[in-house]
Amino acid sequence: MRDFVLIKTPIKTYNCPRYLISVYHEHVYPILPYISETGSSPPESCIFGQMVNFGAVLLGVIMYIRYRQVDFVLTAGSIALKRTWNEMSFWCGNLICFGVTLVGNFQQTNASWMHFGGAFLTFGGTAVLFIIQTRIGFALRRFYIRFPRYGVGNKMMYFRVFLTIFYNTLFIMMCVCAVISVDHFTGLDYKLWTNEHGGYSIHLASTLSEWLLVLVLMLYVLTVSKEFKSLEYQEIKFLNKNVDRNCIECC
């Protein structure tokens, strides 16, 4: 009877969040699973992959906008900062986006090494990116004094320092607890890890750290939103190389 219900109603479950779908199909243990574990098996893996790819594109756009914003200030000579910092931030952001796509398209159950490699690029790269962006933010304070309308104050700067330290601490905690908990695991399926399988409390510390990492990432991105208002988007222009521009001007 249970098999009949699972086959009959999968389409309806697509309207629910990915987490609820994975719990409904008993693909994960409902208490604080790893984020990627809720997208390891179909049908939720399809939703997870699509959402992660879309998020990677948005993150790439955000990183490019930030790069151009800092580049404009550097070109104007308004701050004392080497361009290397901005370039490192841009390429680090690209690695993070690439890691995000690996996490979404190479599930833990299908290609574990690619998946974990993408996760390390994503979370580890973000830890480095926060350090770089915090350094850039302090360099921009001189520019924000001249243009306070689009700048952020000292409180926001030190809040970013707190987020950077907190994020790096969570990243180390997640990795260390994950390695320790695996050594104590006695079950058959990591996605169905319960208190009966050993190392469960350490496992929860690792999974909780991962969820908090994503929350901190979103908070950090939000702190830059005011600064983005100093930029103005202009329509992209296309020119036809096969048409003589002088003839068009004459007409």
Side-chain angles (χ1 to χ4, degrees), residues 236-250:
I236 300 175
K237 297 181 180 180
F238 293 93
L239 296 176
N240 190 342
K241 296 181 179 180
N242 298 320
V243 178
D244 189 347
R245 300 182 189 177
N246 295 326
C247 293
I248 295 178
E249 293 176 359
C250 292

Side-chain angles (χ1 to χ4, degrees), residues 32-192:
L32 279 180
Y34 283 112
I35 297 174
S36 57
E37 288 181 346
T38 63
S40 296
S41 304
E44 61 269 18
S45 60
C46 305
I47 302 174
F48 180 68
Q50 184 70 7
M51 291 176 59
V52 166
N53 288 333
F54 182 68
V57 173
L58 288 180
L59 183 59
V61 172
I62 292 174
M63 291 308 307
Y64 178 72
I65 293 175
R66 181 63 169 176
Y67 169 79
R68 292 302 302 271
Q69 180 193 28
V70 177
D71 185 66
F72 287 145
V73 180
L74 289 172
T75 302
S78 302
I79 61 174
L81 180 73
K82 293 183 178 180
R83 290 186 178 273
T84 305
W85 286 97
N86 197 30
E87 293 172 357
M88 286 192 304
S89 174
F90 178 70
W91 289 111
C92 185
N94 287 333
L95 284 177
I96 293 171
C97 294
F98 178 66
V100 170
T101 60
L102 290 180
V103 171
N105 296 292
F106 295 88
Q107 289 79 25
Q108 180 179 343
T109 54
N110 300 325
S112 59
W113 286 108
M114 292 292 290
H115 179 84
F116 291 133
F120 185 82
L121 278 178
T122 300
F123 292 115
T126 303
V128 176
L129 179 66
F130 279 9
I131 297 174
I132 298 174
Q133 279 297 326
T134 302
R135 169 66 181 89
I136 293 175
F138 274 97
L140 288 171
R141 284 193 300 178
R142 178 183 172 186
F143 179 76
Y144 295 150
I145 293 175
R146 294 177 55 193
F147 304 97
R149 179 180 177 184
Y150 302 113
V152 294
N154 290 332
K155 291 183 179 180
M156 183 61 71
M157 293 294 183
Y158 288 108
F159 180 62
R160 290 178 184 174
V161 173
F162 166 75
L163 291 178
T164 300
I165 297 174
F166 188 40
Y167 187 95
N168 280 267
T169 303
L170 287 172
F171 175 67
I172 295 174
M173 183 182 300
M174 180 190 70
C175 295
V176 172
C177 291
V179 173
I180 295 176
S181 61
V182 168
D183 290 337
H184 293 80
F185 181 67
T186 58
L188 299 176
D189 190 347
Y190 291 112
K191 299 191 301 299
L192 299 175

Side-chain angles (χ1 to χ4, degrees), residues 18 34-36 48 122-123 126 130 166-167 170-171 174 207-222:
R18 184 185 75 251
Y34 283 112
I35 297 174
S36 57
F48 180 68
T122 300
F123 292 115
T126 303
F130 279 9
F166 188 40
Y167 187 95
L170 287 172
F171 175 67
M174 180 190 70
T207 57
L208 177 61
S209 299
E210 185 187 44
W211 285 93
L212 290 176
L213 283 173
V214 177
L215 177 62
V216 174
L217 171 60
M218 292 188 293
L219 286 176
Y220 199 102
V221 172
L222 288 176

